[in-house]
Amino acid sequence: MTDSFYVTTPIYYVNDRPHIGHLYTTTIADVIARHRRQAGLDVFFLTGTDEHAAKVADAAADRGLAPIAWADRNAEIFLSTFGRYGISNDDFIRTTQARHKQKVQRWVGQLLETGDVYLGEYEGWYDPGEEEYVPDARAEELGRKSPISGRALVRKKEKNYFFKLSAYADSLLGLLGERPDLVQPDARRNEVIGRIRDGLNDVPLSRTGTGSWGIEMPGDPDHRIYVWIDALFNYLSAVDTDERRHYWPASVHLIAKDILWFHAVIWPALLLALQRVPGNEWIEIPRQVYAHSFWISEGRKMGKSLGNFIDLERLEEIVSTYGLDALRYYLVSQGPMGVNDADFAAARFDDLYHAELANKLGNLVSRTLHMNAKFADGRVPAPGPAGEPEATLVGVAEAACRSVDEHMARLEVGRALEAALELAAAANRYLEEREPWKAAKDPERRASVPTALHHGCEALRIVAHLLVPFLPATANEIFSRLGLEGAARPERPTRFGSLPIGLETRKGDALFPRIERPEAG
Ligand code: MSP
C-alpha cells in the first residue's frame, strides 16, 4: 500500500477576500503537497473556508445581505483565487456544507455524552476580533488589549457549554514531551509548553445571541457551536468517509502563529476526548502542527490604511508583471516559515527576480537550448567521454537532489528551493568552463561539444525535476522544451545520464524576460 500524506491549511474567514497571508500558507502547503506527490505518496491536500464567525454575519449585515449570501460570494472568491494561482488542493471544504455540519454535531454530541462538554457559566476577558477568551493572567500581561488588533478586550459573562480542556493538561504535556515534532518550530513548541504549564481553563464551546448563524448545539437550539470548535473539526470531517479515512491522522496542519493555541492545545485535546468514544479509535492525534510567522510589507505591519496592504489587486498586479512562478519564488524563498516575520518588498522582489530567475535559471534554459539548436541540430546529443568538469557537475546534481529532500523533510522550503537553484548555478559554471560556443569553432576541442551539450541538457532536466513543487509551470515548460512530454520522462528522474538521446529540443522565448521596474507603490 502506498504511504499516504495529508496536509491542511487553516480554513479562512469569509468576511473578506483573500490576501497575501492566505495565499502564502496555501502556496506553501501546495509546495509540500507537490513534493510528496512527486515522491510517489498518496497525497490529500485540503483547504477551505471558515464561515460561521460573527464577523461574517456582521459583514453581511453591513451590506444588507444574509450571512450565507456573503459567505457564498467570498468562498467562491477564495476557491477561484486558489484555482487561478495554481493551487493543487484535492478538496475545498466550507463549514456551511452539510457534510461538515452533521459530523460536527455528531462529535459534539459524543462529547456531551462522555461529559467532556458540560453546561456552565463563564466570565472573562474576550477578544471580539479573534472571537476568543484570553485567560485572566494573560489579559493583564497584554494590558487588556488584543495581541492581534491592539483593540481593548471586553469583559464578558456567558452561560455556555464548555469543553473540559483543563482535564487534558497532563496528557498534552506528555504528548508534547514524547513527540518533539508535534508542534514546530521548536520555539513555538516551547511557548505552548510554557502556557500549558501556566494552567489550562476550560473553554467555551457554544455561543448564544449570535442569531441563527452557526451550527446548532445538539439538543439545545438556543446555543450555537462556537466557531473555533466548528472550524477545527473541518480537518476531520473532510476525511471522515470510507474512501478517505486512511488519510487520518493529518501529516501536517500548516498554520501561522496567530492560531497556534487552537491547533496545538485545543485541537489535540478535543481529539483525545473523542478517542475515548467506542468506534473513534481511528481518531489519532495529528503528526504535526507547523506554525509559520507573518508577512509584513515594505518594513511595516500590513494595514489597509497604511497603503502597504497586499490584497488581491496587488497580487494580480505582481503576477501580471512578473508571472505566477515569480510570485511563488518570492513567497517560498523569502517567506516567514521560521519564527521571524518576513518583509514583502517590491524592490527586493525585482532584484531577486532578475538575479535568480532571469539571470540564473532563465539564462541556463536559454543558452543550453540555443546551443543545442545551433551545434547539435536541436537534438540531445550522445555524450563523449566525461572528464573532471562533468564529474563535478554530476556530484553537484546528486547533492542537490539529496539536499532538496532533506530540507523539505524539515519544511525548510526556502532552503530546498535554494538547493535546486544551486544546480542551475553549477550548470552555468560548467558551460562557462566547457565553452561549447568556442569549442565548436576549435578543431582540437570540437569533440567536447556533444558532451557539454548533453550534460547541459541533463542538468537542466534535473533542475526542472527539482523545481516541480516550487515552480510547476516553469518546470513543465522546461520539460516540454527538452522534448520530455509526460511519457518520455525517465523512471529514475534524479539520476544523471537518464535523459534519452536524440530528443528534439525547442528554444522558445525567455522564460523570465527582463522587466523595467514598474513605479513603486
Ligand atoms: N478561520 C480561522 C482559522 C481556522 S483553522 C481551523 C482564521 N482565519 S483567517 O482568515 O484569519 O486566516 C488566518 C491564517 O491566514 C493564518 O494562520 C495564516 O495562515 C494566514 N495569514 C493571515 N495573515 C497572514 C500574514 N500577514 N502572513 C502570513 N500568513 C498570514 O484564523
Side-chain angles (χ1 to χ4, degrees):
M1 212 180 79
T2 321
D3 282 341
S4 66
F5 187 88
Y6 180 20
V7 54
T8 68
T9 73
I11 50 170
Y12 305 109
Y13 288 131
V14 285
N15 55 312
D16 211 340
R17 291 151 34 111
H19 59 64
I20 188 175
H22 308 128
L23 183 66
Y24 176 66
T25 313
T26 312
T27 298
I28 301 302
D30 181 67
V31 167
I32 297 168
R34 287 176 190 266
H35 180 260
R36 298 287 75 204
R37 284 193 202 106
Q38 197 180 28
L41 270 59
D42 170 15
V43 171
F44 191 69
F45 167 19
L46 181 70
T47 187
T49 44
D50 183 0
E51 309 197 358
H52 293 126
K55 59 182 163 191
V56 174
D58 293 346
D62 289 347
R63 291 162 180 87
L65 292 172
I68 191 65
W70 187 239
D72 279 346
R73 199 176 294 182
N74 282 316
E76 171 52 36
I77 297 175
F78 271 93
L79 179 69
S80 62
T81 300
F82 291 159
R84 251 189 355 276
Y85 283 74
I87 302 300
S88 65
N89 53 301
D90 296 290
D91 196 357
F92 187 95
I93 191 162
R94 299 182 54 186
T95 54
T96 47
Q97 290 166 337
R99 61 166 170 167
H100 173 74
K101 295 201 282 192
Q102 286 159 1
K103 299 209 180 103
V104 171
Q105 284 185 324
R106 192 179 77 212
W107 287 318
V108 170
Q110 290 176 343
L111 296 178
L112 277 164
E113 274 172 34
T114 59
D116 283 292
V117 170
Y118 63 91
L119 192 62
E121 196 164 50
Y122 188 76
E123 183 177 352
W125 291 106
Y126 183 73
D127 182 340
E130 300 306 301
E131 307 211 13
E132 63 173 311
Y133 278 97
V134 177
D136 280 354
R138 188 157 159 77
E140 297 309 328
E141 257 172 54
L142 293 168
R144 299 186 187 172
K145 291 213 175 79
S146 164
I148 309 289
S149 67
R151 271 181 254 140
L153 301 175
V154 292
R155 197 73 189 164
K156 206 166 156 173
K157 192 170 175 179
E158 286 184 287
K159 189 156 189 195
N160 273 332
Y161 288 90
F162 284 86
F163 170 57
K164 243 188 211 166
L165 181 63
S166 57
Y168 290 92
D170 289 343
S171 312
L172 288 169
L173 286 172
L175 270 174
L176 286 158
E178 280 157 31
R179 294 179 37 191
D181 282 345
L182 179 57
V183 176
Q184 279 295 313
D186 275 332
R188 301 285 175 227
R189 170 171 177 263
N190 294 335
E191 272 172 41
V192 167
I193 293 176
R195 279 184 62 189
I196 300 176
R197 288 205 179 118
D198 285 347
L200 289 183
N201 294 331
D202 290 352
V203 289
L205 182 129
S206 73
R207 282 296 143 80
T208 49
T210 54
S212 59
W213 192 233
I215 303 178
E216 209 171 285
M217 190 69 197
D220 193 342
D222 291 342
H223 289 254
R224 304 283 135 176
I225 295 167
Y226 174 38
V227 63
W228 259 105
I229 303 290
D230 159 1
L232 287 165
F233 276 123
N234 91 86
Y235 302 128
L236 199 56
S237 61
V239 296
D240 186 16
T241 67
D242 289 344
E243 300 72 42
R244 290 182 177 173
R245 222 162 274 129
H246 71 280
Y247 288 115
W248 193 259
S251 311
V252 52
H253 291 311
L254 188 66
I255 57 165
K257 60 185 179 181
D258 53 337
I259 55 178
L260 178 62
W261 185 250
F262 290 101
H263 285 80
V265 178
I266 298 179
W267 181 227
L270 281 170
L271 295 171
L272 285 172
L274 273 182
Q275 264 173 15
R276 307 194 311 146
V277 177
N280 283 349
E281 293 75 14
W282 65 281
I283 302 184
E284 289 173 51
I285 304 299
R287 299 205 192 288
Q288 180 160 89
V289 170
Y290 190 101
H292 62 70
S293 302
F294 262 43
W295 279 106
I296 59 167
S297 167
E298 305 297 345
R300 299 159 74 190
K301 188 174 177 252
M302 279 199 290
K304 290 203 174 160
S305 56
L306 295 176
N308 67 346
F309 196 80
I310 304 183
D311 58 12
L312 216 43
E313 281 70 40
R314 180 82 184 94
L315 289 165
E316 305 275 312
E317 229 171 76
I318 294 167
V319 171
S320 66
T321 309
Y322 294 95
L324 176 56
D325 276 1
L327 175 62
R328 285 177 70 105
Y329 173 80
Y330 193 83
L331 293 178
V332 173
S333 71
Q334 305 302 303
M337 272 301 273
V339 288
N340 298 313
D341 290 348
D343 190 24
F344 199 99
R348 180 145 176 80
F349 189 112
D350 190 81
D351 287 350
L352 283 169
Y353 172 85
H354 287 102
E356 294 298 309
L357 297 179
N359 296 348
K360 195 186 274 182
L361 182 57
N363 186 27
L364 176 67
V365 174
S366 123
R367 78 201 312 195
T368 307
L369 298 174
H370 275 85
M371 284 191 296
N372 210 53
K374 193 158 174 194
F375 305 121
D377 293 328
R379 293 195 175 268
V380 175
E388 237 351 87
E390 284 73 29
T392 306
L393 182 62
V394 172
V396 174
E398 285 169 0
C401 293
R402 269 199 310 276
S403 176
V404 168
D405 287 343
E406 283 164 12
H407 287 305
M408 285 305 292
R410 294 193 290 270
L411 301 190
E412 293 162 353
V413 292
R415 295 182 70 183
L417 174 52
E418 213 175 280
L421 288 176
E422 181 45 42
L423 177 56
N428 278 322
R429 289 195 297 273
Y430 167 78
L431 290 172
E432 271 142 35
E433 190 173 355
R434 280 296 187 194
E435 301 181 303
W437 55 92
K438 279 194 193 159
K441 296 179 196 132
D442 176 349
E444 280 180 24
R445 292 166 68 199
R446 194 171 291 154
S448 72
V449 173
T451 308
L453 296 180
H454 179 90
H455 282 77
C457 289
E458 185 56 329
L460 191 54
R461 178 188 67 76
I462 298 179
V463 168
H465 173 79
L466 295 178
L467 288 177
V468 163
F470 308 99
L471 313 179
T474 304
N476 264 331
E477 180 58 22
I478 297 175
F479 284 138
S480 154
R481 292 184 188 187
L482 281 171
L484 284 170
E485 297 296 352
R489 294 195 198 152
E491 259 178 48
R492 293 174 61 195
T494 55
R495 218 182 98 242
F496 214 101
S498 45
L499 181 65
I501 308 300
L503 283 180
E504 204 170 321
T505 64
R506 182 167 51 82
K507 292 186 287 193
D509 298 332
L511 275 183
F512 300 101
R514 302 198 66 78
I515 287 171
E516 289 300 320
R517 202 160 151 227
E519 288 295 304

